[in-house]
Amino acid sequence: LGCVWRVLRTAEQSRAALLILRSPCCFPQLTGVLDDCFCDIESIDVFNNFKIYPRIQKLTERDYFRYYRVNLNRPCPFWADDGHCSIKDCQVEPCPESKIPVGIKSGNYNRYSQVTNANTDIVDCEQAQDLGAINSTLSNYSKEAFEDWARHDDAQDHFCELDDETSPDADYVDLLLNPERYTGYKGPSAWRVWNSIYEENCFKPRSVYRPLNPLVPPRGKGCLCLEKRVFYRLISGLHSSINIHLCAEYLLDEGWGKSLWGPNVQEFRQRFDPAETKGEGTRRLKNLYFLYLIELRALSKVAPYFDRAFVNLYTGDRQEDRATKELLLQFFNETKAFPMHFDEKSMFAGQKIEAKTLKEEFRLHFKNISRIMDCVGCSKCRLWGKLQTQGLGTALKILFSEKEIKNLPEHSPSKGFQLTRQEIVALLNGFGRLIPLLYTLGFILFSTNPTTPPLIGLN
């Protein structure tokens, strides 16, 4: 197809290689209105490239968002564990206990203390000089309010099975030092994970062709209701996001003890070229846009939760926390300005009993998928799979908690709706994985359409 691949490196993100397709012949149908909504791809591209992309990098590099508490040692609940991948690039480097900022270890959910303020120059995993401490949730909680929150937390409509952050098997991981990339993990173990997701836990259209495992034949045709179509498209979009990141940062060579990473054109074409996927590649990329739209809607809806004065992104460094919250609120203002948000009210809108049953089925299917992430054999793949699945699960929790968010008390924690720090970090970083992908795909339209203004002011 003569597709030209380029590597885009920004000053802020020199560690990440972004794949750019320059030829419009590769995906001639990646335009127009998305199914099941009234938003077009071109509008998403413009909004993402000029409004969202410049802000998300600054946020995910802040102390509060770069550390993620995760348990990578949970056993697979569905089949005998294949064992962890022995490839060195599959491994995740947790932060040593001695280098975790004091605030994150203090368990202080209440307020800034002299101890945390005196340690704002703690050295992080990269030996940076300005790293502040991190607390695991919002500040200014009284002990009574926090315990009350914990009692009601289990009653919420969780779409994911959250890791127990107090478990001795849970570690803090610096996401900037453990980037998502292809590590060499593949074969039957990886096929089994995705086949279990699609064949057993996803409302998959029977006509969809998936070249994951050539031993699994396609099924017959079938129709799905809106809710089940949305579910499938979200999982497909998540799968596309993961695959594009792996193709962009592919392990090309391990010669002489030094790994060489870069874009793998052949792998990308195998997964997304319409000719090699029986036309499915374009649909997969459109599902990536649909996933972006759903998470964008959730971010715009959750803004009131963070608008409240007592909610702080607690790290133990007052100056850092104020700056981080200001950046986050600016980001939320941008998300609310998007004119063509997905209308989640169109879902589960039938008869009350049937709608409630369908919503619970939707929730349990997704929760099951979050559990399947503990079956991924590659630790680095498991890390990013768990984070992105939890980010999407948090977005769904937000979308279907409209009443609870509207009734949030202004000056105290709410029993009806809460977000843990783990959910907040996953939500922002999960969305952050989509933004550069849409930027590169959107760049195709800008660079091949002479009537479209060039991209400026992004770095």
Side-chain angles (χ1 to χ4, degrees), residues 59 62-65 313 315 319-329:
L59 268 176
R62 305 293 292 189
D63 297 341
Y64 186 87
F65 293 107
L313 303 178
T315 70
Q319 186 174 357
E320 163 106 356
D321 294 350
R322 281 195 296 266
T324 301
K325 184 171 182 180
E326 183 178 350
L327 282 174
L328 185 64
L329 294 180

Side-chain angles (χ1 to χ4, degrees), residues 302-311 325 329 332-333 336 410:
V302 81
Y305 180 84
F306 294 93
D307 273 335
R308 297 174 297 169
F310 80 92
V311 175
K325 184 171 182 180
L329 294 180
F332 284 144
N333 285 334
K336 289 187 288 186
E410 184 63 31

Side-chain angles (χ1 to χ4, degrees), residues 110-261:
N110 303 321
R111 59 182 64 84
Y112 294 99
S113 68
Q114 293 180 353
V115 174
T116 53
N117 282 329
N119 287 276
T120 56
D121 59 346
I122 292 294
V123 179
D124 72 355
C125 295
E126 289 180 302
Q127 305 298 315
Q129 296 181 351
D130 299 322
L131 178 64
I134 300 177
N135 191 283
S136 56
T137 186
L138 309 173
S139 68
N140 296 331
Y141 279 7
S142 67
K143 182 177 180 180
E144 180 181 354
F146 182 74
E147 290 176 350
D148 196 29
W149 165 33
R151 284 194 297 270
H152 288 270
D153 194 46
D154 289 337
Q156 296 187 58
D157 288 338
H158 285 297
F159 283 78
C160 284
E161 186 164 306
L162 305 180
D163 284 346
D164 179 4
E165 296 191 66
T166 64
S167 169
D169 290 328
D171 290 307
Y172 285 100
V173 176
D174 186 338
L175 298 174
L176 300 184
L177 297 183
N178 293 274
E180 182 181 19
R181 55 176 39 158
Y182 178 72
T183 62
Y185 174 66
K186 59 182 179 181
S189 177
W191 285 340
R192 180 157 55 172
V193 169
W194 283 111
N195 282 328
S196 178
I197 289 173
Y198 280 107
E199 302 296 338
E200 301 174 25
N201 296 280
C202 188
F203 309 104
K204 183 177 73 67
R206 302 307 189 193
S207 59
V208 168
Y209 170 74
R210 294 187 302 102
L212 291 174
N213 186 345
L215 300 179
V216 178
R219 298 180 180 178
K221 295 184 178 181
C223 298
L224 297 177
C225 64
L226 170 64
E227 292 80 5
K228 294 183 178 182
R229 290 199 306 272
V230 167
F231 190 101
Y232 167 74
R233 296 185 68 191
L234 291 177
I235 300 304
S236 173
L238 181 63
H239 195 186
S240 296
S241 171
I242 292 172
N243 280 338
I244 296 175
H245 277 289
L246 301 190
C247 293
E249 283 283 306
Y250 201 90
L251 181 58
L252 301 176
D253 186 35
E254 293 183 275
W256 301 101
K258 186 176 182 180
S259 300
L260 175 64
W261 306 87

